Amino acid sequence: KAKENGRSQYRLYSHRMHEEAEDKLQLEYELKNALKLNQFEVYYQPQINSKTNQVEGVEALIRWNHPKKGVLSPYVFLKLAEEMNLISDIGEWVLLTACSQLYKWQQTYGLSPNELSVSVNLSALQLQDIRLLESVCSTLDKSGLDPSSLELEITESSIILSPERIVDRLLKLTQKNIKLSLDDFGTGYSSIQHLHLFPIHTLKIDKEFIAACQQKISQDKVLIAMIQFARTLGLKVIAEGVETQEQLNFCDENQCDLIQGYFYSKPIPASEFEARFLIK
Ligand code: C2E
Ligand code: MG
Ligand code: MG
Ligand code: MG
């Protein structure tokens, strides 16, 4: 009996593994075609100066409008896209879409390059790519956007792999007037002793720290210290994942420059962003 049970469990298990492998293959196939089938979309989330209530920045976040599964989050497909070597093409598409969109908004609403900027995420693999600088510059050119309106978001862990080479590459981007921000600060490998070597303009405090604050006094202190640390280095500070009025007040009192989070808005399609934040 026990043996039989074991056998049928094994069959169930292997059946499930087989299904999972098939699902992955199917998703890979669909992902490979998603770009040319126009299934990706860029959503936009505002970064707001809470003192003036002005939208000073907007983060571009990719979504996949899957024909059967609906709107898929990057967590579901970005890793696979990296494994499949599709991330450079997808990244370039996001960059062109986001920069063109911002340029159009600046033109339509008479905004100068420093009034509204766009942030685009770069994956670790894109940073490893020697064609990055060339690709970013030609994409910016195509879009018409002023380089100073573009901020590229990188993470600590993607720099730490080969600091000197990456820092050199990052410097070349900043020499073109492109800004850099460090995303998800505080998570992953801590590179505090290297941070001053990175040519970054902005530090984005991860939502984990925003969520933890006001839960425990020690967490509040950690957050305050992080903000002070950024300010000491002369960096702009963005608080990510601000969801409540209390969190907003806390960030305000402690001198965060910009707020990004559900409190103001989730990431939304371009037309909705325009209607809610640009049409006066
Ligand atoms: P991220 O760059 O740290 O982006 C912020 C994430 O936090 C977004 O998730 C956003 O929807 C979410 N978020 C913002 N405010 C709140 C809040 O108040 N509460 C909560 N719970 N979440 C909030 P999303 O859009 O699912 O993106 C996930 C990650 O995928 C991004 O994290 C980024 O690392 C990556 N990603 C997104 N788009 C791209 C892209 O075009 N290229 C690359 N390489 N990575 C991307
Ligand atoms: Mg980001
Ligand atoms: Mg982040
Ligand atoms: Mg993140």
Side-chain angles (χ1 to χ4, degrees), residues 93-105:
W93 178 85
V94 171
L95 192 64
L96 181 60
T97 305
C99 292
S100 306
Q101 183 63 74
L102 185 69
Y103 182 66
K104 193 169 147 224
W105 282 337

Side-chain angles (χ1 to χ4, degrees), residues 75 121 155 183-184 206-207 240:
Y75 292 119
N121 294 282
T155 57
D183 206 353
D184 304 340
D206 193 75
K207 50 182 174 288
E240 275 196 306

Side-chain angles (χ1 to χ4, degrees), residues 20-233:
E20 272 172 16
E22 264 191 349
D23 284 354
K24 194 176 171 206
L25 266 177
Q26 173 73 18
L27 200 68
E28 279 178 12
Y29 173 76
E30 292 166 337
L31 190 56
K32 213 181 281 170
N33 293 304
L35 202 52
K36 63 171 178 275
L37 291 176
N38 229 343
Q39 291 172 346
F40 291 120
E41 184 173 356
V42 175
Y43 276 31
Y44 298 89
Q45 187 179 33
Q47 299 169 333
I48 295 181
N49 179 329
S50 54
K51 308 250 168 13
T52 61
N53 266 322
Q54 287 286 321
V55 181
E56 294 187 2
V58 51
E59 181 170 6
L61 294 153
I62 193 171
R63 297 292 182 267
W64 179 9
N65 294 318
H66 189 282
K68 286 194 256 20
K69 295 177 175 157
V71 183
L72 294 185
S73 132
Y75 292 119
V76 180
F77 62 88
L78 272 188
K79 233 181 107 138
L80 192 59
E82 291 199 335
E83 283 168 23
M84 294 172 66
N85 242 326
L86 297 171
I87 199 70
S88 290
D89 286 348
I90 294 175
E92 217 166 88
W93 178 85
V94 171
L95 192 64
L96 181 60
T97 305
C99 292
S100 306
Q101 183 63 74
L102 185 69
Y103 182 66
K104 193 169 147 224
W105 282 337
Q106 288 178 343
Q107 298 293 303
T108 308
Y109 298 100
L111 303 163
S112 66
N114 60 10
E115 270 178 291
L116 183 64
S117 63
V118 66
S119 301
V120 178
N121 294 282
L122 283 188
S123 82
L125 277 181
Q126 284 175 282
L127 276 176
Q128 301 295 322
D129 192 335
I130 48 163
R131 292 161 304 178
L132 179 71
L133 180 73
E134 202 189 40
S135 138
V136 169
C137 290
S138 81
T139 303
L140 258 174
D141 242 25
K142 254 186 252 173
S143 75
L145 190 71
D146 192 291
S148 67
S149 296
L150 174 63
E151 193 151 319
L152 295 173
E153 300 197 357
I154 56 181
T155 57
E156 292 165 280
S157 43
S158 59
I159 309 179
I160 223 70
L161 292 172
S162 54
E164 283 100 40
R165 207 152 39 83
I166 303 284
V167 167
D168 189 55
R169 200 161 290 159
L170 294 178
L171 272 170
K172 294 215 168 75
L173 287 165
T174 61
Q175 281 157 8
K176 302 275 179 194
N177 256 339
I178 295 163
K179 297 192 180 71
L180 299 172
S181 64
L182 195 63
D183 206 353
D184 304 340
F185 180 68
T187 66
Y189 308 99
S190 192
S191 49
I192 281 182
Q193 80 257 39
H194 294 131
L195 204 61
H196 70 279
L197 299 173
F198 304 153
I200 50 171
H201 301 79
T202 305
L203 205 139
K204 298 188 77 174
I205 294 180
D206 193 75
K207 50 182 174 288
E208 185 184 299
F209 296 93
I210 307 299
C213 97
Q214 294 168 316
Q215 309 291 320
K216 265 199 209 134
I217 192 93
S218 59
Q219 287 294 341
D220 289 12
K221 287 181 180 161
V222 170
L223 183 54
I224 292 169
M226 285 169 88
I227 298 168
Q228 278 172 358
F229 173 70
R231 302 203 76 90
T232 305
L233 293 178

